[in-house]
Amino acid sequence: MIKIIDKILTWIGQLLGAFDDFTGNYMLAMLIFALIVEILLLPFAIKQQKNMIKQAKLRPKEMAIRGKYKGRDDAATKQKMQQEITEFYQKENFNPMGGCLPLLLQMPIILALYQIIINPLKYVVGFSTEQVKQILEVITQNVDATVAKTLNATQTIPLIDQIREIGVDAFSGIAGFADKVPTVDALPSFSAFGVNLGIVPRDGKPLYLWLIVPVLVYAFQLVSTKLMRKFTYQAPSAQDANMGCSNNVMDYTMPLMSAYFAFVLPAAVGVYWIFKNIITFVKQVVLAKLMPMPVFTDADYKAAEKEMNAKAPKTGGNVKAGSSGKVVRSLHHIDDEDYEDTREAALARKKALEEAEEKEKAEKEAKKKLSSALMKDESDKKTPKKADKDKKDDSAEVKEDNNEEK
């Protein structure tokens, strides 16, 4: 299985190599390659867009179901609401997970492209794993030890730069090397606008200039994610406070992860991610224009509510009926007063709660009065002592005056 995957990656890599030979620039070849990949994935994107449109069309009726349980946040009620929504989806032949399939199919492709981009010496030039190891051994013998520690046989973009510096003659002992790379010009070029994008940003000098690549990766992915939300359907559950918070966290953390990888991998990888984000966003905007989401008015929501029998009956207080015509009761007793079989117990429970509240309130008032009385008593006890002291002071002053007169 591994050999089959490796063979497929080699075929894809050779296609990228053909674009490199045609354009004469590896970065431009990656741009064309990213564009072709997105075109090949277009059928999956269309399927996903259709799935979102179908879900959007069901939104008014789904909101009518959610409206029946509004204000009820206990676990049992939420479970019942979710069960009713699931049954409604099944009736409409809609699978909410259908939109995930295109994403799942894209993941292996993205991982494959990642391997090709970071390992062009194997998949683009066509060297075997053993040949790449031999090339690495020759390079480590001809470069400084500190540089050799940063090199490995799985991320071969830096190896290509070292081959250029050392020269192809140093690798003549490797079988088949001269056939694939007769001169250094046969190697993929990572230069763009005079900048070598084969360098890892964290090792680039000066560092502040190389930080531009991971910063741009973060900015493009963040902006692309935020804008794409405006062109894609957001399910009602995704608009809840907790879910919204989770989405915001993901919106910021995922670009941070991409920025980190763009910092520790060759800059060419970061540039490819920038290309991919731009193309993906443009593709989504085009799909949104060609296959727009349905827009509903308040009248549409009211009509759906009426159709789903979500309105309260005229003679039943706030009792609500479900799609089956059966009364839907709250699962945490907020509707018990509306039913004959539970009204007496509900009123008794309500009365008991009110009495408990009154008793608690009376106890608080009694404690407050007792506290005030104790404070007053303490104040009264201190006052006589002060008066006695004042009398003693006055008596002493009189005696002193009498002594002076004598």
Side-chain angles (χ1 to χ4, degrees):
M1 184 65 180
I2 295 176
K3 289 183 178 180
I4 295 174
I5 295 174
D6 205 52
K7 192 69 176 176
I8 294 172
L9 292 179
T10 302
W11 289 339
I12 299 174
Q14 289 175 351
L15 178 62
L16 181 57
F19 292 147
D20 180 35
D21 293 338
F22 177 73
T23 60
N25 186 286
Y26 192 74
M27 301 311 301
L28 183 58
M30 284 204 302
L31 174 59
I32 297 173
F33 186 65
L35 181 61
I36 290 177
V37 168
E38 289 299 324
I39 292 174
L40 292 175
L41 293 175
L42 189 59
F44 300 118
I46 292 174
K47 180 177 176 59
Q48 187 178 10
Q49 184 74 5
K50 287 181 177 179
N51 195 74
M52 287 191 294
I53 291 173
K54 187 170 184 179
Q55 186 175 13
K57 288 180 178 179
L58 300 177
R59 181 185 178 93
K61 293 182 180 179
E62 181 181 348
M63 294 303 294
I65 295 174
R66 291 180 181 276
K68 293 195 300 181
Y69 300 93
K70 189 175 181 181
R72 308 171 189 178
D73 56 359
D74 61 290
T77 303
K78 286 184 177 180
Q79 184 178 359
K80 185 172 178 63
M81 179 186 70
Q82 195 58 49
Q83 180 182 353
E84 191 170 340
I85 291 174
T86 302
E87 291 174 354
F88 167 64
Y89 280 164
Q90 290 175 349
K91 183 181 177 182
E92 297 292 335
N93 295 319
F94 170 72
N95 181 11
M97 301 302 293
C100 298
L101 181 60
L103 294 177
L104 294 175
L105 290 174
Q106 289 183 52
M107 287 306 297
I109 298 173
I110 293 171
L111 293 174
L113 295 177
Y114 169 73
Q115 289 297 323
I116 293 168
I117 290 169
I118 67 171
N119 198 354
L121 206 56
K122 179 179 179 180
Y123 295 113
V124 178
V125 180
F127 288 117
S128 66
T129 302
E130 187 60 34
Q131 286 175 316
V132 172
K133 289 180 180 178
Q134 293 175 5
I135 292 170
L136 179 59
E137 288 177 3
V138 174
I139 292 173
T140 53
Q141 294 170 3
N142 288 272
V143 299
D144 186 80
T146 55
V147 176
K149 289 180 180 179
T150 63
L151 303 175
N152 61 71
T154 56
Q155 298 178 17
T156 59
I157 292 178
L159 299 187
I160 291 175
D161 289 335
Q162 295 299 330
I163 293 172
R164 279 200 173 88
E165 291 183 11
I166 297 171
V168 296
D169 293 337
F171 302 90
S172 58
I174 301 175
F177 184 91
D179 296 334
K180 290 183 172 62
V181 187
T183 64
V184 291
D185 293 334
L187 293 167
S189 174
F190 296 96
S191 295
F193 305 106
V195 179
N196 181 12
L197 296 176
I199 296 175
V200 178
R202 69 178 176 186
D203 300 327
K205 306 295 181 184
L207 179 61
Y208 68 88
L209 285 179
W210 284 97
L211 284 175
I212 292 175
V213 174
V215 168
L216 286 177
V217 168
Y218 176 82
F220 273 93
Q221 186 166 342
L222 178 63
V223 172
S224 174
T225 302
K226 291 291 187 182
L227 290 177
M228 280 181 67
R229 288 194 187 280
K230 297 181 180 297
F231 294 95
T232 55
Y233 173 73
Q234 301 299 311
S237 57
Q239 298 173 356
D240 293 343
N242 293 335
M243 185 63 73
C245 178
S246 176
N247 285 337
N248 285 330
V249 171
M250 290 295 291
D251 287 351
Y252 288 97
T253 54
M254 293 304 291
L256 277 175
M257 289 179 61
S258 298
Y260 170 75
F261 287 122
F263 181 66
V264 299
L265 295 175
V269 178
V271 173
Y272 175 78
W273 281 340
I274 292 172
F275 289 160
K276 188 179 184 308
N277 279 317
I278 294 173
I279 295 171
T280 302
F281 172 68
V282 171
K283 179 183 70 176
Q284 189 59 50
V285 172
V286 172
L287 285 175
K289 295 295 183 182
L290 296 177
M291 305 169 65
M293 293 290 164
V295 179
F296 299 101
T297 63
D298 290 340
D300 295 323
Y301 284 103
K302 289 179 180 178
E305 185 179 4
K306 185 177 181 181
E307 184 180 345
M308 299 296 290
N309 298 318
K311 281 188 174 181
K314 295 181 179 179
T315 58
N318 60 353
V319 181
K320 298 179 180 179
S323 58
S324 63
K326 295 181 179 179
V327 173
V328 179
R329 299 193 185 191
S330 167
L331 298 178
H332 58 299
H333 306 294
I334 62 174
D335 291 344
D336 282 0
E337 292 181 31
D338 298 323
Y339 307 96
E340 292 183 2
D341 58 334
T342 56
R343 185 178 297 114
E344 186 176 349
L347 293 174
R349 184 167 52 250
K350 181 179 179 181
K351 184 178 180 182
L353 288 173
E354 290 175 350
E355 288 177 352
E357 289 178 359
E358 288 295 329
K359 184 178 179 181
E360 185 180 357
K361 185 177 179 182
E363 288 177 353
K364 286 183 179 180
E365 288 293 332
K367 287 181 180 180
K368 188 176 179 181
K369 288 180 181 179
L370 180 60
S371 178
S372 299
L374 289 173
M375 291 178 64
K376 185 176 181 182
D377 187 49
E378 286 293 326
S379 177
D380 291 341
K381 287 180 180 178
K382 290 179 181 179
T383 303
K385 290 181 179 179
K386 185 177 180 183
D388 292 340
K389 185 179 179 183
D390 292 340
K391 287 181 180 179
K392 288 180 181 179
D393 292 341
D394 291 341
S395 177
E397 288 179 1
V398 171
K399 287 181 179 179
E400 188 177 348
D401 293 339
N402 291 334
N403 289 334
E404 288 178 358
E405 288 177 359
K406 288 180 180 181

